[in-house]
Amino acid sequence: DHNQLQPVLKTATTSGGSPPEGASLFSFLRNRYDVERWLSQHYRSHPDIIGFAQKYVYDGKIEPTSFCPSDTGWTAPSHSSSKAVAVAAGTPVVFVDVDGEEAWRKRFSGTINKAEIEAVRKLVCEFMREDVVSEEELGVITPYRGQRSMIEDALPGYAGVEVSTVDGFQGRERDTIIFSTVNTETSGMRFAGNKNRFNVASTRPKRRFVMVGNRNAIKTN
């Protein structure tokens, strides 16, 4: 699937040292021989979750099967509920708007977003308290290793909840995925919002995808 993160030919580099567009072995062979073979049936995610990738990534070439979760039992929370409770009771796809900014943390040599770390912590605690999902079926993913490490540090009581980078989680799945976007600046979003990387992130969950990010920054950048 050349729409997910791909093995790259590291002998092909740009002046900055990173592989250029089209350096993927998959893309090289596909472009050279102009042959495609598609697995057109999707077996993992609720139709509301896979719907975005189905329309915007795969141009309608994939269809969810009857094996996909199709629960419709979510209920709207009362207006007095906390935001974390609202997400826990929410629909299969939820965007959590967090007014945070990305920052560089020297300790991790990477990009972090403290406001998103706190939002993720509250969500995980609420999911566990309300028994929304088991620890083993909840995953937290993010584009950056620094953010991953800080989220892990913020969840000392939930060893069963796996926290990983998007790249490290490719090929795997969980019942529920929380995705910490991190980026608020244009240059960073080229990485986090890379079409293939976001496709991987948004197709890991089976029943619930919770995206945490700064709505205004994402729309602007």
Side-chain angles (χ1 to χ4, degrees):
D1 182 352
H2 60 278
N3 289 313
Q4 296 196 28
L5 293 164
Q6 306 170 52
V8 296
L9 301 168
K10 289 193 174 182
T11 52
T13 59
T14 62
S15 58
S18 60
E21 292 292 331
S24 159
L25 187 60
F26 288 168
S27 294
F28 171 79
L29 293 171
R30 175 173 170 265
N31 293 338
R32 179 162 184 165
Y33 296 105
D34 195 28
V35 174
E36 285 188 349
R37 291 292 183 267
W38 284 95
L39 297 175
S40 59
Q41 301 296 304
H42 177 80
Y43 292 88
R44 175 184 296 136
S45 306
H46 188 284
D48 288 359
I49 295 173
I50 196 60
F52 180 87
Q54 180 185 22
K55 181 176 181 180
Y56 293 104
V57 179
Y58 295 100
D59 300 320
K61 293 180 180 178
I62 61 171
E63 290 289 338
T65 69
S66 59
F67 293 95
C68 293
S70 57
D71 312 57
T72 56
W74 290 279
T75 56
S78 68
H79 290 295
S80 61
S81 299
S82 71
K83 292 179 180 179
V85 170
V87 175
T91 54
V93 179
V94 179
F95 184 88
V96 178
D97 186 13
V98 177
D99 188 20
E101 298 289 335
E102 68 174 83
W104 177 267
R105 178 58 65 90
K106 184 177 180 180
R107 174 187 169 193
F108 298 107
S109 296
T111 306
I112 65 161
N113 188 313
K114 288 186 176 181
E116 290 187 19
I117 293 166
E118 178 59 15
V120 169
R121 186 192 68 80
K122 288 181 178 179
L123 287 169
V124 170
C125 291
E126 183 61 31
F127 280 15
M128 295 298 103
R129 187 175 73 84
E130 292 296 316
D131 198 26
V132 173
V133 62
S134 68
E135 288 189 27
E136 292 72 23
E137 282 297 329
L138 174 60
V140 180
I141 58 177
T142 181
Y144 297 99
R145 286 175 290 181
Q147 185 80 346
R148 177 203 63 196
S149 297
M150 292 193 72
I151 292 174
E152 283 181 331
D153 292 344
L155 299 172
Y158 302 106
V161 177
E162 182 171 2
V163 184
S164 176
T165 61
V166 176
D167 297 51
F169 212 77
Q170 178 164 269
R172 301 164 64 199
E173 62 185 35
R174 287 290 187 277
D175 186 274
T176 299
I177 288 289
I178 300 174
F179 172 54
S180 174
T181 312
V182 181
N183 292 120
T184 54
E185 298 177 8
T186 303
S187 58
M189 285 185 185
R190 291 194 187 104
F191 181 78
N194 170 275
K195 184 177 180 179
N196 291 42
R197 183 166 285 104
F198 185 74
N199 183 37
V200 170
S202 65
T203 56
R204 298 307 93 202
K206 292 181 281 187
R207 295 179 181 276
R208 189 188 300 267
F209 178 59
V210 181
M211 180 174 172
V212 178
N214 185 319
R215 178 177 179 269
N216 287 334
I218 290 172
K219 287 186 69 176
T220 301
N221 297 319

